Amino acid sequence: MFGETLNNSIIANNTATQYGGAIYNVYGASLKVVTGGKDIVFSGNKANEGGAIYNAAYGAVKLCADEDRYITFVGKADDATIDSVHNTGQLIINNN
């Protein structure tokens, strides 16, 4: 079901003018983010909507963390444009 897989990554300091500073999952697409033995960190990513991840309508994003691993979004409480998730599709969060 999920077309692309991202694992074992630090995704940092990316910028988009509108959608998805780090990841823009387009209309109808699917993406799986898996820790795969290492933590995944989103840090310093910025966009007007979805600084870390923008998941468009009918898109699907699955965030999966292995036991004792984390997917971390390092944002700023006073700035929702940094390392946020904007979801208009399907967002699944679970532990493997």
Side-chain angles (χ1 to χ4, degrees):
M1 174 178 171
F2 289 89
E4 298 296 326
T5 301
L6 172 71
N7 58 25
N8 301 333
S9 299
I10 296 175
I11 304 165
N13 304 317
N14 298 289
T15 301
T17 56
Q18 190 62 33
Y19 305 117
I23 296 172
Y24 179 15
N25 193 49
V26 299
Y27 182 94
S30 61
L31 172 69
K32 186 175 182 181
V33 179
V34 182
T35 55
K38 293 185 179 180
D39 296 340
I40 294 178
V41 178
F42 291 88
S43 178
N45 301 292
K46 188 170 184 175
N48 285 338
E49 295 183 48
I53 299 172
Y54 183 94
N55 185 33
Y58 302 101
V61 172
K62 185 173 186 179
L63 304 175
C64 303
D66 293 329
E67 187 175 334
D68 298 325
R69 295 292 173 216
Y70 301 94
I71 298 172
T72 305
F73 297 86
V74 182
K76 293 175 66 176
D78 63 344
D79 190 344
T81 65
I82 298 176
D83 292 322
S84 61
V85 176
H86 180 98
N87 180 52
T88 57
Q90 180 183 27
L91 179 64
I92 302 166
I93 302 170
N94 69 358
N95 291 337
N96 287 341

